[in-house]
Amino acid sequence: MGRSHFLGGTSAHRHRARSPLRRNLLATLAGVALLGGTVATTPAAASASGARQASAVAGTGAATTTIGHPSWDDDRCTPIPKHLPTLKDWPRIESRFRKNPADEKRINKILSGMTLAEKVGQMTQPEITAITPDEVKQYFIGSVLNGGGAWPNRDKHATPQDWLALADAYWQASVSTRTKIPIIWGIDAVHGNNNVFGATLFPHNIALGAAHDPCLVREVTAATARQVRVTGQDWAFAPTLAVPRDDRWGRTYEGYSEDPRITRAYAAEAVRGLQGDGTRRLDRGHVLATAKHFIGDGGTQRGVDQGVNPSSEADMINIHGQGYYGALGAGAQTVMASFNSWTNEELGITEGKLHGSEKALTGILKQKMGFDGLIVSDWNGIGQVTGCTNASCPQAIKAGIDIVMVPNDWKAFISNTITQVESGEIPMSRIDDAVRRILRVKLRAGVFDSPKPSARYAAGRADLLEARKLAREAVRKSQVLLKNNNRVLPLSPRSKVLVVGKSADSLQNQTGGWSLTWQGTGNTNADFPNGTTILGGLREALGESRVTFSETADNVDVSAYDAVIAVIGETPYAEGVGDLARRTLEAAKLYPNDLAVLDKVSGKGKPVITVFVTGRPLYTNKELNRSDAFVVAWLPGTEGGGVADLLVRGRNSGQGYTGTLSYSWPKGPCQTPLNPGEEGYDPLFPLGYGLRYGQTGNVGTLDETSQDLPCGSTGGGGTATEDLEIFNRTDVAPYKSFIGSPENWGGTEIGPDGTASHAEINVVPSDVNVQQDGLRVTWTGTGPGQIYLQNPSGGTDLRGYLNANAALVFDTIVHQPPAARTVISVHCVWPCGAEVVATSLFQNLPLNTKSTVKIPVSCFAALGVDMENVNTPFLVYTEGAFSASFANVRWVPQAANDPDARTCDSLT
């Protein structure tokens, strides 16, 4: 691929990708047919072009199956295969990159002259806010990363020159060492270079999956690679290759599809876009890709982030492994280990945390699959391995981790690892293998032969941060039309419309998580200077005078308009913060104000068109019933104009809606998991559904059954069977977190950034188990104060937890013991409540070490709590100085029976 292709707004590759060849190939391979207004997958035989993919999936299922990447020219994109054969064992992958004897000789020479400290330095990856260039030189550091929401000089609006200046400083420090091994910098560029101010942000992966267009994925990731080159990084922590099976997972939107066929094809093209098609070196306009997270992160029980995947090995191979076959075949040079565990004792699978699984990382990935690149750990992932800490984990290194992401504790990690090698706990052969892989990847990346980052291709080219035309195309292709009664859409360009809803004029909601900040929160429209909101797109399409905006739809006369466009849906989240593990999928429960807006405008004689901005399918029967047309826009990124293009008939609408669901859409509030082939599969809209202009979908009045209790639990006279989550990285609906003190006993809600402050008490985010999963609460000693988790709507019947002998369970780190009487309370709508004394409990916990506290629910019931009307299931109050972090607050059935549960007598 000619390097000059990437200098302009379009490229020769993009021109070819839009050729009749591409359109015909995709039409043949899409495998869809219109059936009665729906789109259904057909069992059509693979085309001749599809037969090319067969070479990448063929095999009898024998352990010797080899998967190779076809030698296609640039016109050929990996098709979505009609079928995937069932493999009996992990296949060997024939990578686009082959070992180069000259490289191996060079590696041997470098490695033979390295000290142990230099080798461990290459294996260590600190975060940029925790390491200076001088320390890079002193400790021989091989790579750095910036986490979501970390920028040069801690400046959210850092310029490309700011990024390059820091990249140059790190590079200069690394090549000033004795070994002169250049450093590489990894960044979470998951939908564009999303940490960088001014960059175009593309739709998230769930949206791209709905486009069913592998060529589009290659174009998007190629544009992302150019954006990364602008700011001087070498390595993108993308693509995510999860196959999400339970949409309660907070990372659902990072997966292309619940269908492994789509994930496999997209994985190959995502890697080709990021890395190019080189076989010995990356093209200069490209960056290292990362296949993540190995393996099974999308298959955890109840969709719990970093939870337990109980899959059989056969399902790991044939469902969760498919993306890696495409990515590694395309030449992915790095793989990131997954936070999740792989455990199913009934099947004899006891791998536990995958960061410590030698079977998965070495036996499967490196040996059976033949991966010769490097494995990088995730953020403090080694600390979750049994017996390990964030700063010490010989098991993870022995299991196969090559680069260890140790954001803050990297100095202690280096010291501990050197000691463990010198004692023989970690074999020197494993260290040498890790460094050999790191050097191999650096050679293939071309950094040994490159100048400083600011002197490389595309560096500082702020114009290349923009890819608005491509992003807008991706938005158009990814939307899915679920309902279109009376063919309301497309609207006439002469329509006069009322626009309502919280997401109509919100680039924060459009872009979702991983957008400037880790969670995607704390942003305003001004933080995306090159973006367009959906409202802005409508004003562009219809003219300013034809568009009226009222976010809450208060006091508006609907009859004055031709149509109402309601833009509603999810608000930003990332990782486990977005988990709905024990919550309903009901959008009206999660976002009641959205339904209230629809109630104000529906049934007024004018058509209501709902645009649903979301990172996953949700139960939206109530919203569908109040809408004449319903469009799923997913998380479209910064180009909201692409949404408007299809709402309004005009030159940009083209063929109209072409996206189809790559995830099944639920018909009930607790209908998850929901995947084709599983028992009882009965979605509202199946995988592959999507209407075109002129189709109505015949969606009648839908059942609006609600679910008040968390899915999977039972209240009243029954017995609870699943945890009641109250706080898991963030508030778990319907509960919200508050602080109270004489300054405001009515309660100050803790903000989405995890902060709140009174003179007597203040709260900031903290790390208890994983990154920013807790709240650090400090009582200043100037007066009484409390932190509590409360359902503002009132009490809930939690008798089922008393019947299940449950305990109130929470993780805590005591930073400063309480100096005065401290209590833990449960309230049944004030003044109904009960408290237990916890002064000595907190005073006796080890300082600065995580502890788990379990208090039987029966203790509170015995003291008078009305378990049928609990609105505050957790409250900590003290009158003196005290500091502690709290995380993972829940009520756990049967936990009162645990040996480490407190007794009621000890809490008086």
Side-chain angles (χ1 to χ4, degrees):
M1 188 177 297
R3 294 183 176 113
S4 61
H5 295 165
F6 296 111
L7 288 171
T10 60
S11 67
H13 164 68
R14 288 192 61 196
H15 175 74
R16 287 193 295 269
R18 286 176 173 76
S19 67
L21 169 63
R22 175 188 179 191
R23 291 196 297 270
N24 293 339
L25 177 65
L26 293 172
T28 303
L29 295 170
V32 295
L34 298 178
L35 298 175
T38 66
V39 177
T41 301
T42 64
S47 64
S49 296
R52 289 183 177 271
Q53 178 67 9
S55 68
V57 299
T60 62
T64 55
T65 298
T66 298
I67 292 177
H69 197 285
S71 298
W72 294 345
D73 63 30
D74 288 345
D75 285 329
R76 302 284 183 152
C77 292
T78 309
I80 299 172
K82 296 293 181 182
H83 306 286
L84 292 171
T86 300
L87 300 173
K88 294 182 179 179
D89 202 352
W90 300 93
R92 187 163 190 84
I93 309 299
E94 186 177 298
S95 172
R96 185 182 289 273
F97 274 88
R98 307 291 177 84
K99 279 195 176 136
N100 179 351
D103 282 354
E104 297 304 307
K105 183 177 179 179
R106 188 174 179 183
I107 291 167
N108 288 337
K109 182 177 180 180
I110 296 171
L111 189 61
S112 66
M114 294 177 71
T115 66
L116 176 57
E118 289 168 339
K119 293 174 182 177
V120 174
Q122 284 296 307
M123 297 173 64
T124 305
Q125 186 177 81
E127 210 270 344
I128 63 169
T129 59
I131 188 168
T132 66
D134 285 344
E135 289 171 325
V136 165
K137 180 178 180 179
Q138 180 182 354
Y139 291 92
F140 318 107
I141 299 299
S143 65
V144 293
L145 84 149
N146 63 287
W151 317 278
N153 307 315
R154 300 182 185 271
D155 180 6
K156 184 178 184 178
H157 298 149
T159 66
Q161 287 69 35
D162 294 329
W163 287 90
L164 286 168
L166 185 56
D168 279 355
Y170 284 140
W171 179 87
Q172 185 61 53
S174 67
V175 298
S176 298
T177 61
R178 190 182 66 84
T179 62
K180 296 180 170 52
I181 301 172
I183 197 170
I184 55 176
W185 181 344
I187 189 168
D188 285 298
V190 298
H191 65 133
N193 200 1
N194 44 260
N195 286 274
V196 176
F197 179 71
T200 295
L201 302 191
F202 297 99
H204 270 293
N205 286 354
I206 191 171
L208 297 178
H212 292 80
D213 188 342
C215 293
L216 177 66
V217 171
R218 192 202 302 182
E219 293 177 62
V220 165
T221 56
T224 299
R226 296 193 292 275
Q227 291 180 330
V228 173
R229 281 296 183 195
V230 169
T231 52
Q233 287 70 52
D234 315 272
W235 185 4
F237 295 141
T240 297
L241 303 179
V243 181
R245 310 300 282 172
D246 191 319
D247 299 339
R248 291 175 289 183
W249 187 33
R251 304 190 79 154
T252 295
Y253 65 80
E254 295 188 52
Y256 294 117
S257 177
E258 68 190 31
D259 184 346
R261 297 178 309 120
I262 296 172
T263 304
R264 179 170 176 152
Y266 272 29
E269 293 309 316
V271 170
R272 291 181 73 186
L274 287 168
Q275 291 194 172
D277 287 333
T279 59
R280 291 197 174 186
R281 296 288 184 269
L282 299 189
D283 298 335
R284 65 173 183 167
H286 294 84
V287 295
L288 291 167
T290 309
K292 68 180 191 183
H293 307 85
F294 195 82
I295 187 171
D297 50 343
T300 59
Q301 293 171 313
R302 302 185 305 278
V304 173
D305 189 46
Q306 306 184 19
V308 177
N309 187 322
S311 292
S312 65
E313 189 155 357
D315 281 348
M316 281 293 197
I317 293 168
N318 291 291
I319 296 175
H320 300 289
Q322 292 293 343
Y324 296 91
Y325 309 153
L328 299 186
Q333 288 300 290
T334 77
V335 171
M336 185 176 289
S338 184
F339 278 123
N340 67 275
S341 299
W342 183 17
T343 301
N344 187 323
E345 293 184 359
E346 291 183 4
L347 298 178
I349 298 171
T350 56
E351 290 309 299
K353 286 289 182 179
L354 282 162
H355 273 70
S357 172
E358 186 173 357
K359 171 180 176 176
L361 301 182
T362 296
I364 292 173
L365 181 57
K366 292 181 175 179
Q367 294 177 351
K368 286 192 174 184
M369 296 172 70
F371 176 59
D372 70 353
L374 68 84
I375 300 175
V376 61
S377 67
D378 209 333
W379 184 284
N380 283 333
I382 63 170
Q384 297 188 30
V385 177
T386 300
C388 293
T389 68
N390 291 344
S392 176
C393 194
Q395 176 56 35
I397 295 173
K398 290 189 289 186
I401 298 290
D402 302 307
I403 288 181
V404 185
M405 190 184 291
V406 201
N408 300 297
D409 300 327
W410 57 271
K411 288 182 182 177
F413 169 79
I414 289 174
S415 176
N416 290 331
T417 303
I418 289 173
T419 299
Q420 290 154 1
V421 175
E422 290 174 340
S423 71
E425 187 174 6
I426 300 175
M428 191 67 191
S429 60
R430 173 75 271 272
I431 299 295
D432 285 346
D433 175 62
V435 178
R436 182 181 301 279
R437 289 169 177 272
I438 295 166
L439 295 174
R440 181 181 297 133
V441 169
K442 287 186 174 185
L443 281 169
R444 290 171 174 174
V447 296
F448 272 96
D449 306 310
S450 296
K452 63 184 179 180
S454 64
R456 296 175 191 169
Y457 168 81
R461 288 279 304 276
D463 59 304
L464 294 183
L465 289 177
E466 293 190 39
R468 302 187 67 175
K469 183 177 179 181
L470 174 60
R472 193 160 178 161
E473 177 190 358
V475 174
R476 287 196 295 268
K477 289 185 173 182
S478 61
Q479 295 168 83
V480 180
L481 180 62
L482 298 183
K483 180 179 181 179
N484 193 20
N485 284 4
N486 300 316
R487 297 180 176 86
V488 170
L489 293 177
L491 295 170
S492 164
R494 294 181 297 277
S495 299
K496 183 180 180 183
V497 301
L498 171 66
V499 181
V500 300
K502 68 177 187 291
S503 297
D505 195 32
S506 173
L507 281 163
Q508 174 173 276
N509 290 355
Q510 275 180 216
T511 51
W514 301 106
S515 299
L516 278 186
T517 62
W518 174 38
Q519 293 295 317
T521 54
N523 296 322
T524 67
N525 288 353
D527 290 315
F528 303 97
N530 300 314
T532 303
T533 65
I534 294 171
L535 176 65
L538 287 166
R539 286 172 171 162
E540 176 187 294
L542 294 169
E544 293 270 353
S545 64
R546 295 181 180 275
V547 179
T548 300
F549 176 53
S550 174
E551 181 175 326
T552 58
D554 291 327
N555 304 314
V556 293
D557 180 8
V558 174
S559 66
Y561 303 92
D562 297 314
V564 179
I565 300 173
V567 189
I568 60 174
E570 291 195 301
T571 53
Y573 54 81
E575 298 192 50
V577 173
D579 281 0
L580 300 176
R582 259 74 64 180
R583 283 178 279 179
T584 174
L585 288 172
E586 185 176 350
K589 290 287 185 184
L590 299 169
Y591 302 99
N593 290 340
D594 286 349
L595 190 65
V597 167
L598 285 176
D599 281 335
K600 293 174 187 176
V601 296
S602 64
K604 309 294 185 185
K606 297 295 181 177
V608 175
I609 299 152
T610 294
V611 176
F612 199 60
V613 175
T614 184
R616 59 185 140 212
L618 289 173
Y619 172 59
T620 54
N621 285 16
K622 293 176 181 178
E623 292 79 6
L624 280 157
N625 283 341
R626 289 157 178 76
S627 307
D628 296 277
F630 196 94
V631 176
V632 183
W634 309 111
L635 297 172
T638 50
E639 285 302 308
V643 176
D645 285 345
L646 301 191
L647 292 172
V648 181
R649 184 174 64 250
R651 62 184 177 85
N652 289 326
S653 59
Q655 298 176 343
Y657 294 94
T658 57
T660 61
L661 294 176
S662 61
Y663 288 79
S664 305
W665 201 272
K667 66 166 51 174
C670 292
Q671 194 181 20
T672 185
L674 182 65
N675 303 289
E678 294 178 340
E679 184 177 355
Y681 179 70
D682 183 26
L684 180 64
F685 302 112
L687 188 76
Y689 180 93
L691 303 177
R692 303 290 184 264
Y693 281 165
Q695 296 179 311
T696 66
N698 300 318
V699 179
T701 301
L702 301 170
D703 176 55
E704 294 191 2
T705 298
S706 187
Q707 169 65 287
D708 291 324
L709 292 171
C711 294
S713 63
T714 308
T719 302
T721 58
E722 292 199 16
D723 298 1
L724 172 67
E725 287 199 331
I726 303 165
F727 183 93
N728 183 356
R729 284 196 172 181
T730 188
D731 303 337
V732 179
Y735 301 104
K736 294 184 177 181
S737 54
F738 300 86
I739 58 171
S741 74
E743 184 174 315
N744 178 17
W745 282 119
T748 297
E749 185 173 352
I750 298 174
D753 61 351
T755 66
S757 182
H758 290 179
E760 304 85 356
I761 181 174
N762 61 76
V763 179
V764 295
S766 66
D767 298 348
V768 176
N769 297 291
V770 294
Q771 183 182 7
Q772 292 190 10
D773 67 327
L775 297 173
R776 179 166 180 158
V777 189
T778 300
W779 287 264
T780 61
T782 59
Q786 61 191 25
I787 180 172
Y788 57 100
L789 297 159
Q790 185 177 87
N791 180 358
S793 300
T796 303
D797 184 354
L798 298 182
R799 287 177 291 169
Y801 287 89
L802 179 62
N803 297 341
N805 204 19
L808 164 61
V809 180
F810 58 92
D811 297 332
T812 186
I813 297 175
V814 175
H815 308 290
Q816 177 186 349
R821 185 175 183 271
T822 303
V823 300
I824 297 174
S825 302
V826 170
H827 289 175
C828 36
V829 185
W830 179 261
C832 172
E835 64 185 30
V836 297
V837 179
T839 315
S840 61
L841 184 157
F842 287 116
Q843 289 174 338
N844 292 327
L845 291 176
L847 286 177
N848 300 314
T849 301
K850 189 197 84 170
S851 301
T852 299
V853 175
K854 302 176 182 178
I855 301 175
V857 167
S858 60
C859 300
F860 302 102
L863 293 171
V865 168
D866 177 5
M867 298 298 294
E868 196 172 353
N869 195 31
V870 175
N871 74 321
T872 306
F874 177 78
L875 182 151
V876 179
Y877 167 93
T878 189
E879 297 181 346
F882 177 32
S883 180
S885 292
F886 300 96
N888 203 14
V889 184
R890 66 267 193 207
W891 283 23
V892 180
Q894 308 303 327
N897 297 325
D898 293 349
D900 58 345
R902 308 283 165 162
T903 65
C904 298
D905 290 342
S906 69
L907 300 167
T908 57

